[in-house]
Amino acid sequence: MGKIIGIDISKQVFDVSFLDNNVWKHQVLKNNLSGFEKLLNVVEKEDLVIMEASGSYYLSLADYLYSRGISVVVENPLSIKRYSQSRLKRAKTDKADSKIIAEYGKKNLDELSLWKSESKVCIRIRQIHTRIQMIQKQMSQTYNQLEAFKSSGFLDEKLEIEIKKTIEHLHKGKAVLESEIERLALEEFGETIDCLTSIPGIGMKTAVMLIVITDNFKKFEHYKQLIAFVGFSPRIFESGSSVRGRSSICKMGKSQIRKLLYVCSWSAKRWNKKCKEMYERLIKNGKAERVAKIALANKLLKQAFAIGKKKEKYREDFC
């Protein structure tokens, strides 16, 4: 193993920090091809580069390094933040952050997973989905504004027409983007979608989301990794003999796919044999409805992982 290089990246630039003969080295490079090429002057094949998943700013650099055979790790920003807090670090600068990232990498070296370049279609679908979420927020804000104006007892007629046209325009734009996601997904991942939607409870939207977050089920080697990534892993709240809090799920993962899977569980408890058996058993044992449905969502994830990996259709005796 060579150097461990920490990178704090933003839209315009990225800070690079690493130890060289027990001396910290630091430089700032532009977040473009010119900066990427300059970074290669200090990065060697045996080095490990660690950065945070900062929006989409890291993607180009991570992809560039990966294509040149450099080992790259992309970590959850919350993990690094917690590490920084545990070290009682007070400085909050890009230089200090890049150093913390490098220190975090050295401390957790055995637990890090190497990043792999995603398919361009998955990246496109994710970007379109992010745009749809923004449009949905704009629609809600505009509709709420319209209702607020109406509740005031007076609303200019021309303004009402303009607001309704805006809502209609946003709705049409959202529909166009949703159709584009479906088209891209079916063209690139038609076989996987066909297999996933054979699972009772899993629909088109959930199947596409699962494919995108797993890069067509290439990102994870075990279903428990996917469950942890999504955020359905249980979190135990205990300390000593007196503190016994109620266990809950860890919500550090992807909220959108959690919502979709929770909705899917409503259908799965009726039509998915294994899920139905699990639901009836949990309710009989006195578990709350919400707890039972989270368990079903986990079961659906396990089924989806096995089917997505093997590219097989659902069977009643599956998982």
Side-chain angles (χ1 to χ4, degrees):
M1 174 62 70
K3 303 187 296 294
I4 296 179
I5 300 172
I7 292 181
D8 183 74
I9 196 160
S10 61
K11 183 177 181 180
Q12 301 294 337
V13 298
F14 59 93
D15 286 66
V16 182
S17 291
F18 58 90
L19 269 175
D20 186 15
N21 293 322
N22 293 320
V23 177
W24 280 103
K25 298 291 181 70
H26 170 258
Q27 56 182 291
V28 181
L29 300 171
K30 290 184 177 180
N31 190 6
N32 56 28
L33 183 58
S34 173
F36 301 167
E37 291 172 346
K38 289 179 181 178
L39 179 62
L40 291 182
N41 293 330
V42 298
V43 179
E44 299 171 338
K45 289 286 185 180
E46 63 272 19
D47 293 344
L48 178 66
V49 176
I50 305 177
M51 61 187 79
E52 294 179 325
S54 303
S56 59
Y57 299 145
Y58 74 91
L59 276 173
S60 295
L61 176 57
D63 195 55
Y64 177 87
L65 293 172
Y66 178 84
S67 67
R68 280 152 182 78
I70 306 296
S71 297
V72 179
V73 171
V74 178
E75 277 293 288
N76 188 323
L78 185 58
S79 299
I80 295 172
K81 180 181 179 181
R82 295 275 168 81
Y83 172 77
S84 178
Q85 291 171 338
S86 73
R87 298 294 304 276
L88 302 179
K89 297 290 185 179
R90 294 186 177 183
K92 185 68 178 83
T93 64
D94 294 338
K95 179 180 179 180
D97 286 349
S98 63
K99 183 178 176 181
I100 280 290
I101 292 171
E103 289 179 350
Y104 170 88
K106 185 177 181 180
K107 181 76 173 177
N108 300 278
L109 191 59
D110 294 337
E111 301 173 14
L112 301 177
S113 299
L114 293 180
W115 182 85
K116 295 180 181 179
S117 183
E118 296 179 273
S119 72
K120 296 298 183 285
V121 173
C122 280
I123 294 173
R124 287 177 66 188
I125 290 175
R126 188 185 298 107
Q127 289 176 342
I128 295 171
H129 183 263
T130 301
R131 177 58 187 159
I132 289 174
Q133 287 181 307
M134 178 61 72
I135 290 174
Q136 187 64 54
K137 286 181 181 178
Q138 291 174 332
M139 288 172 63
S140 297
Q141 290 170 349
T142 308
Y143 179 79
N144 290 339
Q145 186 180 60
L146 177 61
E147 291 302 302
F149 287 157
K150 286 181 177 179
S151 65
S152 69
F154 174 79
L155 175 58
D156 181 81
E157 185 178 337
K158 289 184 178 179
L159 179 59
E160 182 178 8
I161 292 172
E162 189 278 330
I163 293 175
K164 287 183 176 179
K165 283 184 178 179
T166 299
I167 294 173
E168 184 181 357
H169 175 74
L170 289 170
H171 185 77
K172 287 180 178 178
K174 179 172 173 278
V176 169
L177 292 178
E178 287 174 339
S179 296
E180 179 64 5
I181 283 180
E182 187 169 334
R183 184 190 69 80
L184 287 170
L186 287 171
E187 279 186 5
E188 188 73 13
F189 310 114
E191 180 187 6
T192 309
I193 289 173
D194 194 35
C195 293
L196 290 177
T197 52
S198 71
I199 304 172
I202 299 289
M204 177 70 179
K205 189 177 291 186
T206 306
V208 172
M209 184 72 74
L210 286 169
I211 289 169
V212 169
I213 67 173
T214 62
D215 195 20
N216 199 21
F217 295 90
K218 291 184 280 188
K219 186 180 287 186
F220 305 106
E221 297 303 321
H222 196 280
Y223 77 89
K224 288 185 179 180
Q225 293 174 313
L226 175 57
I227 288 173
F229 181 78
V230 170
F232 273 138
S233 295
R235 181 176 63 186
I236 309 300
F237 186 63
E238 294 181 0
S239 181
S241 59
S242 59
V243 179
R244 288 292 185 271
R246 188 173 64 180
S247 298
S248 62
I249 60 172
C250 178
K251 295 183 179 179
M252 294 198 312
K254 305 296 181 182
S255 60
Q256 189 65 26
I257 187 63
R258 281 202 303 270
K259 291 175 184 176
L260 286 173
L261 286 165
Y262 189 75
V263 172
C264 289
S265 70
W266 300 351
S267 175
K269 74 177 184 179
R270 297 181 61 193
W271 309 111
N272 187 308
K273 183 181 177 182
K274 293 294 183 180
C275 288
K276 183 179 180 181
E277 291 171 355
M278 173 182 278
Y279 177 79
E280 291 173 349
R281 184 174 69 253
L282 291 172
I283 295 299
K284 184 179 179 180
N285 291 337
K287 296 296 183 182
E289 180 80 9
R290 180 176 176 275
V291 173
K293 285 180 178 176
I294 290 173
L296 297 191
N298 265 325
K299 173 65 76 174
L300 286 173
L301 267 179
K302 185 177 179 181
Q303 291 179 343
F305 183 84
I307 285 173
K309 277 284 190 183
K310 296 178 181 179
K311 302 294 185 288
E312 295 180 355
K313 292 289 187 72
Y314 169 84
R315 303 188 309 272
E316 282 197 343
D317 62 342
F318 212 84
C319 297

Short mmCIF file of all heavy atoms in Angstrom, two decimals, residues 185-209:
data_model
loop_
_atom_site.label_atom_id
_atom_site.label_comp_id
_atom_site.label_asym_id
_atom_site.label_seq_id
_atom_site.Cartn_x
_atom_site.Cartn_y
_atom_site.Cartn_z
N ALA A 185 -34.40 2.95 -18.97
CA ALA A 185 -34.28 1.75 -18.15
C ALA A 185 -34.63 0.49 -18.94
O ALA A 185 -33.93 -0.52 -18.85
CB ALA A 185 -35.17 1.87 -16.91
N LEU A 186 -35.70 0.55 -19.71
CA LEU A 186 -36.11 -0.62 -20.48
C LEU A 186 -35.10 -0.95 -21.58
O LEU A 186 -34.85 -2.13 -21.87
CB LEU A 186 -37.50 -0.39 -21.09
CG LEU A 186 -38.67 -0.44 -20.10
CD1 LEU A 186 -39.95 0.00 -20.77
CD2 LEU A 186 -38.82 -1.84 -19.52
N GLU A 187 -34.51 0.06 -22.19
CA GLU A 187 -33.52 -0.16 -23.24
C GLU A 187 -32.27 -0.83 -22.69
O GLU A 187 -31.71 -1.74 -23.30
CB GLU A 187 -33.14 1.17 -23.91
CG GLU A 187 -34.12 1.65 -24.95
CD GLU A 187 -33.62 2.89 -25.67
OE1 GLU A 187 -32.47 3.31 -25.40
OE2 GLU A 187 -34.38 3.44 -26.48
N GLU A 188 -31.81 -0.36 -21.51
CA GLU A 188 -30.53 -0.83 -20.98
C GLU A 188 -30.68 -2.02 -20.03
O GLU A 188 -29.82 -2.89 -19.98
CB GLU A 188 -29.85 0.33 -20.24
CG GLU A 188 -28.44 0.06 -19.78
CD GLU A 188 -27.45 0.05 -20.93
OE1 GLU A 188 -27.81 0.50 -22.04
OE2 GLU A 188 -26.30 -0.39 -20.73
N PHE A 189 -31.78 -2.05 -19.27
CA PHE A 189 -31.91 -3.06 -18.21
C PHE A 189 -33.23 -3.83 -18.32
O PHE A 189 -33.81 -4.23 -17.31
CB PHE A 189 -31.84 -2.39 -16.83
CG PHE A 189 -30.67 -1.46 -16.65
CD1 PHE A 189 -30.88 -0.09 -16.49
CD2 PHE A 189 -29.38 -1.95 -16.65
CE1 PHE A 189 -29.80 0.77 -16.32
CE2 PHE A 189 -28.29 -1.09 -16.50
CZ PHE A 189 -28.50 0.27 -16.33
N GLY A 190 -33.69 -4.05 -19.54
CA GLY A 190 -34.98 -4.69 -19.75
C GLY A 190 -35.09 -6.05 -19.08
O GLY A 190 -36.13 -6.37 -18.46
N GLU A 191 -34.05 -6.87 -19.16
CA GLU A 191 -34.09 -8.21 -18.58
C GLU A 191 -34.21 -8.14 -17.06
O GLU A 191 -35.03 -8.85 -16.45
CB GLU A 191 -32.82 -8.99 -18.94
CG GLU A 191 -32.79 -10.41 -18.38
CD GLU A 191 -31.46 -11.11 -18.59
OE1 GLU A 191 -30.51 -10.48 -19.09
OE2 GLU A 191 -31.38 -12.31 -18.24
N THR A 192 -33.42 -7.27 -16.44
CA THR A 192 -33.46 -7.14 -14.98
C THR A 192 -34.82 -6.62 -14.52
O THR A 192 -35.38 -7.10 -13.53
CB THR A 192 -32.36 -6.19 -14.49
OG1 THR A 192 -31.10 -6.59 -15.04
CG2 THR A 192 -32.26 -6.22 -12.97
N ILE A 193 -35.36 -5.64 -15.23
CA ILE A 193 -36.67 -5.09 -14.88
C ILE A 193 -37.75 -6.16 -14.99
O ILE A 193 -38.62 -6.28 -14.12
CB ILE A 193 -37.02 -3.89 -15.78
CG1 ILE A 193 -36.14 -2.69 -15.42
CG2 ILE A 193 -38.49 -3.50 -15.64
CD1 ILE A 193 -36.29 -1.52 -16.35
N ASP A 194 -37.68 -6.97 -16.03
CA ASP A 194 -38.65 -8.04 -16.23
C ASP A 194 -38.61 -9.03 -15.06
O ASP A 194 -39.65 -9.50 -14.58
CB ASP A 194 -38.34 -8.77 -17.54
CG ASP A 194 -39.48 -9.66 -17.99
OD1 ASP A 194 -40.65 -9.30 -17.77
OD2 ASP A 194 -39.19 -10.74 -18.55
N CYS A 195 -37.39 -9.33 -14.58
CA CYS A 195 -37.24 -10.25 -13.45
C CYS A 195 -37.72 -9.62 -12.14
O CYS A 195 -38.45 -10.25 -11.37
CB CYS A 195 -35.77 -10.67 -13.30
SG CYS A 195 -35.15 -11.68 -14.66
N LEU A 196 -37.36 -8.38 -11.90
CA LEU A 196 -37.72 -7.71 -10.64
C LEU A 196 -39.22 -7.51 -10.52
O LEU A 196 -39.81 -7.68 -9.45
CB LEU A 196 -37.00 -6.37 -10.51
CG LEU A 196 -35.49 -6.41 -10.28
CD1 LEU A 196 -34.92 -5.00 -10.25
CD2 LEU A 196 -35.15 -7.14 -8.99
N THR A 197 -39.85 -7.11 -11.62
CA THR A 197 -41.30 -6.85 -11.56
C THR A 197 -42.12 -8.14 -11.50
O THR A 197 -43.34 -8.09 -11.34
CB THR A 197 -41.75 -6.01 -12.77
OG1 THR A 197 -41.28 -6.62 -13.99
CG2 THR A 197 -41.21 -4.59 -12.67
N SER A 198 -41.45 -9.29 -11.62
CA SER A 198 -42.16 -10.56 -11.41
C SER A 198 -42.35 -10.84 -9.92
O SER A 198 -43.13 -11.72 -9.55
CB SER A 198 -41.38 -11.72 -12.06
OG SER A 198 -40.18 -12.01 -11.34
N ILE A 199 -41.66 -10.08 -9.07
CA ILE A 199 -41.83 -10.21 -7.62
C ILE A 199 -43.13 -9.52 -7.21
O ILE A 199 -43.29 -8.32 -7.45
CB ILE A 199 -40.66 -9.56 -6.85
CG1 ILE A 199 -39.32 -10.15 -7.30
CG2 ILE A 199 -40.84 -9.72 -5.35
CD1 ILE A 199 -38.12 -9.41 -6.73
N PRO A 200 -44.08 -10.23 -6.62
CA PRO A 200 -45.33 -9.58 -6.19
C PRO A 200 -45.03 -8.47 -5.18
O PRO A 200 -44.44 -8.71 -4.13
CB PRO A 200 -46.11 -10.73 -5.53
CG PRO A 200 -45.55 -11.96 -6.15
CD PRO A 200 -44.11 -11.69 -6.39
N GLY A 201 -45.41 -7.26 -5.52
CA GLY A 201 -45.16 -6.11 -4.67
C GLY A 201 -44.18 -5.12 -5.28
O GLY A 201 -44.19 -3.94 -4.92
N ILE A 202 -43.32 -5.57 -6.20
CA ILE A 202 -42.33 -4.69 -6.83
C ILE A 202 -42.86 -4.19 -8.16
O ILE A 202 -43.17 -4.99 -9.06
CB ILE A 202 -40.99 -5.41 -7.06
CG1 ILE A 202 -40.39 -5.87 -5.73
CG2 ILE A 202 -40.00 -4.50 -7.79
CD1 ILE A 202 -39.86 -4.77 -4.86
N GLY A 203 -42.99 -2.88 -8.30
CA GLY A 203 -43.46 -2.28 -9.54
C GLY A 203 -42.32 -1.70 -10.35
O GLY A 203 -41.14 -1.77 -9.97
N MET A 204 -42.66 -1.08 -11.47
CA MET A 204 -41.68 -0.54 -12.40
C MET A 204 -40.79 0.51 -11.73
O MET A 204 -39.56 0.48 -11.85
CB MET A 204 -42.41 0.08 -13.60
CG MET A 204 -41.50 0.74 -14.61
SD MET A 204 -40.52 -0.48 -15.52
CE MET A 204 -39.60 0.58 -16.63
N LYS A 205 -41.41 1.45 -11.02
CA LYS A 205 -40.64 2.55 -10.42
C LYS A 205 -39.63 2.03 -9.40
O LYS A 205 -38.47 2.47 -9.39
CB LYS A 205 -41.60 3.54 -9.77
CG LYS A 205 -40.93 4.83 -9.30
CD LYS A 205 -41.95 5.80 -8.73
CE LYS A 205 -42.86 6.36 -9.82
NZ LYS A 205 -43.76 7.42 -9.30
N THR A 206 -40.05 1.09 -8.57
CA THR A 206 -39.16 0.53 -7.55
C THR A 206 -38.05 -0.29 -8.21
O THR A 206 -36.89 -0.23 -7.78
CB THR A 206 -39.94 -0.35 -6.57
OG1 THR A 206 -41.03 0.40 -6.03
CG2 THR A 206 -39.06 -0.83 -5.44
N ALA A 207 -38.39 -1.05 -9.25
CA ALA A 207 -37.39 -1.85 -9.95
C ALA A 207 -36.30 -0.96 -10.54
O ALA A 207 -35.10 -1.26 -10.41
CB ALA A 207 -38.05 -2.66 -11.06
N VAL A 208 -36.70 0.13 -11.16
CA VAL A 208 -35.71 1.05 -11.76
C VAL A 208 -34.83 1.66 -10.67
O VAL A 208 -33.61 1.75 -10.83
CB VAL A 208 -36.42 2.16 -12.56
CG1 VAL A 208 -35.42 3.22 -13.02
CG2 VAL A 208 -37.13 1.57 -13.77
N MET A 209 -35.44 2.07 -9.56
CA MET A 209 -34.68 2.67 -8.47
C MET A 209 -33.65 1.68 -7.91
O MET A 209 -32.51 2.04 -7.63
CB MET A 209 -35.62 3.13 -7.38
CG MET A 209 -34.94 3.85 -6.22
SD MET A 209 -34.37 5.50 -6.66
CE MET A 209 -35.92 6.38 -6.70
#
